[in-house]
Amino acid sequence: MKFRITILSENTVSPGRKGLIGEHGLSILVESADQTILFDTGQGGALVPNAREMGIDLTVVDTVVLSHGHYDHAGGLRSLVEVNSRFTLIAHPDVFNDKIARRDDGQYPIGMPVGRDFLEQAGVCLKLQKTPVTICRWATTTGEIPMETDFEAMEPYFFQRRGGRMVPDPLADDQSLVLRSDEGVVVLLGCSHRGVINTLKTVAKLSEGEPVAAIFGGLHLESASDEKLARICRYLKDFNIGAINAGHCTGMRAFLALSNAFPGRVFLNAVGRTATFRFSGH
């Protein structure tokens, strides 16, 4: 059995792919003969047009996994529901929390643009839990990521409104998708808010130490210090990752640092990119 990964929403578009749209968002489609999983939905402007341009039928999506409840990952749910509402949405229970970014120039809502009621009334089946969810033999979510390292933490500008008060957002809803393949596990990252090293530590426990064939998505290192970037690169070497497909919130400085630390193994995660993996089921 094979499964194919296609990048439907990202900050950039693959060179030479005319007609595709880039946006500040992330959405990755995973297709096999018997399963179609959409990991995140982007900000909302790119998902359906890019799928149409690439000849992808979104009506066959049966599972949507949300990495967390920010608009640039969940914004495409409304446009997806307009073409297909017959799917199961897997997410952490905190995904619908009222999320705010607080900066020097003000406060900005960055949470889910659609609510739970909207999705349920449309016919979407919600599966909200903190623990890992097994989708099929070769796909599972990480569930909530424990904070284990001493150098990965939430950015101080992320808040949530609870009981009329603004409190720091621990982004407990941050999770990833783990796909088993013959080459090792393939990890789809939303923003790695809980830390890419913390995430990969969780993946290692779930996969019983299987090698990491590839990672795709955002590493959220745009504002990371040089010291933190050096530590991230050092720790990443412990996982012996085959390919690092980095984009979205990774940041150019971090992308270059990763490229220097892992020559020939770092690639830009961009709209239109595809990759195929085999799973023999052993």
Side-chain angles (χ1 to χ4, degrees):
M1 186 277 291
K2 294 181 180 179
F3 63 85
R4 183 177 68 171
I5 290 172
T6 303
I7 312 303
L8 289 179
S9 172
E10 250 288 5
N11 295 25
T12 59
V13 175
S14 294
R17 297 303 304 265
K18 294 182 179 180
L20 298 180
I21 301 169
E23 66 177 5
H24 178 73
L26 181 74
S27 181
I28 303 175
L29 186 70
V30 184
E31 301 170 280
S32 74
D34 57 359
Q35 196 82 40
T36 305
I37 305 168
L38 187 64
F39 179 71
D40 286 344
T41 64
Q43 192 173 147
L47 176 64
V48 172
N50 284 346
R52 186 184 302 117
E53 182 68 24
M54 288 188 271
I56 291 171
D57 182 7
L58 293 176
T59 66
V60 301
V61 170
D62 43 55
T63 305
V64 174
V65 175
L66 281 187
S67 65
H68 60 297
H70 281 168
Y71 74 98
D72 49 333
H73 296 260
L77 277 171
R78 186 181 297 276
S79 59
L80 176 62
V81 164
E82 290 176 358
V83 297
N84 173 15
S85 61
R86 299 180 306 277
F87 59 84
T88 297
L89 176 68
I90 299 173
H92 187 283
D94 289 355
V95 76
F96 292 107
N97 287 2
D98 187 4
K99 296 174 178 290
I100 307 290
R102 189 158 72 181
R103 301 182 183 274
D104 293 340
D105 59 348
Q107 301 176 6
Y108 303 93
I110 57 171
M112 294 271 290
V114 297
R116 180 170 185 162
D117 289 347
F118 169 84
L119 294 170
E120 289 180 329
Q121 289 170 12
V124 175
C125 176
L126 300 184
K127 188 162 189 172
L128 307 177
Q129 66 182 61
K130 297 180 180 180
T131 53
V133 175
T134 299
I135 300 169
C136 60
R137 288 183 307 149
W138 49 273
T140 184
T141 65
T142 59
E144 191 171 312
I145 308 289
M147 298 296 291
E148 297 183 30
T149 65
D150 61 359
F151 57 91
E152 294 178 303
M154 300 307 107
E155 280 79 359
Y157 51 80
F158 286 127
F159 287 81
Q160 55 184 326
R161 189 176 284 111
R162 284 196 168 185
R165 296 174 56 244
M166 292 275 285
V167 297
D169 189 353
L171 279 157
D173 51 324
D174 180 74
Q175 65 175 343
S176 295
L177 181 61
V178 184
L179 311 171
R180 294 181 60 201
S181 79
D182 292 353
E183 302 104 297
V185 293
V186 178
V187 185
L188 306 190
L189 306 166
C191 269
S192 307
H193 282 297
R194 303 277 285 185
V196 64
I197 303 303
N198 285 327
T199 299
L200 291 175
K201 283 177 175 286
T202 299
V203 170
K205 293 172 186 174
L206 289 172
S207 66
E208 298 181 342
E210 284 189 46
V212 180
I215 62 177
F216 292 81
L219 280 65
H220 206 73
L221 297 172
E222 289 174 315
S223 58
S225 65
D226 290 342
E227 179 185 2
K228 181 176 179 179
L229 286 177
R231 294 187 76 177
I232 293 287
C233 289
R234 188 160 65 246
Y235 275 79
L236 281 174
K237 290 179 180 179
D238 294 341
F239 297 98
N240 194 28
I241 303 170
I244 299 173
N245 302 277
H248 187 45
C249 55
T250 302
M252 184 54 68
R253 283 177 55 254
F255 186 86
L256 294 174
L258 291 166
S259 298
N260 289 330
F262 303 94
R265 285 191 278 165
V266 178
F267 308 93
L268 183 62
N269 202 52
V271 174
R273 282 208 61 204
T274 62
T276 302
F277 298 86
R278 181 180 294 276
F279 174 62
S280 299
H282 54 265

